[in-house]
Amino acid sequence: GSLDIMPTNSVERLVFVLAMLTGFFFGSTLVSILAAAMMDFHFRQRHKKHNIRTLHQYFEENDVSFSVAVPVQKEVWQRLAQRKRLQEDDVPALAMLSVALRSALRFDIQRPHLMPHPMFRLWTGLDAQMMHRVCMNAVGFVVLRQHDEVFAAGGAARSAYALTAGELLYTSAVSGVHQFTDVHPGTWLCEAALWT
């Protein structure tokens, strides 16, 4: 059962009321946090199921063979299970910032990845405002997942890349022989695009 506590004076009544209000506040907060977490989980699960359902419909409508459908579905499941890193476009509050403050924010985020390159170090030293404009208009992050290709042999080098996290496998074919090189964070790829 429960223990009935009866306050006998004003101080005890005040303490009793404050304790009850505090308990009610923390209880309702806990319930709302749990409800929000459950709603978020339900929404994510529904989104995943919708993606898989439309994928199966696409397979059926296009008569995709089983030997192709299975690896496609496996990769989709793997990618749905991964948590996507937030990009600038995913944060609506950033759209409210002034251009100058948004430029400063973007430069602050991109600076650690650009400064190891001597050209960007020189540009920043000569004209920091120009580098802010470069970061706003020409620099961005590309989030890759397993088995994504950054570029292919024979294609035009339209962008230079600096690996900021993770690992890439660079494959080249010289005289018909494939060579594989592990690429680690801090390495630049397709630098020729910086000069064109």
Side-chain angles (χ1 to χ4, degrees), residues 82-165:
Q82 295 172 346
R83 185 167 182 254
K84 183 183 151 196
R85 181 183 172 140
L86 283 177
Q87 297 294 305
E88 189 174 315
D89 293 338
D90 299 328
V91 185
L94 295 179
M96 294 184 247
L97 297 177
S98 66
V99 174
L101 192 53
R102 193 169 183 177
S103 174
L105 174 65
R106 191 178 287 187
F107 180 68
D108 189 60
I109 292 169
Q110 295 169 349
R111 181 184 189 136
H113 309 296
L114 295 173
M115 288 306 101
H117 196 283
M119 180 183 73
F120 293 119
R121 253 194 332 267
L122 176 65
W123 280 358
T124 302
L126 293 174
D127 189 352
Q129 288 303 315
M130 190 259 316
M131 274 306 295
H132 281 235
R133 288 191 301 276
V134 167
C135 285
M136 279 299 287
N137 300 312
V139 179
F141 286 101
V142 177
V143 178
L144 301 174
R145 295 182 177 168
Q146 192 174 12
H147 303 298
D148 282 352
E149 285 187 2
V150 179
F151 51 84
R158 291 189 169 89
S159 300
Y161 301 92
L163 184 60
T164 61

Side-chain angles (χ1 to χ4, degrees), residues 58 61 107 125:
Y58 180 78
E61 290 175 2
F107 180 68

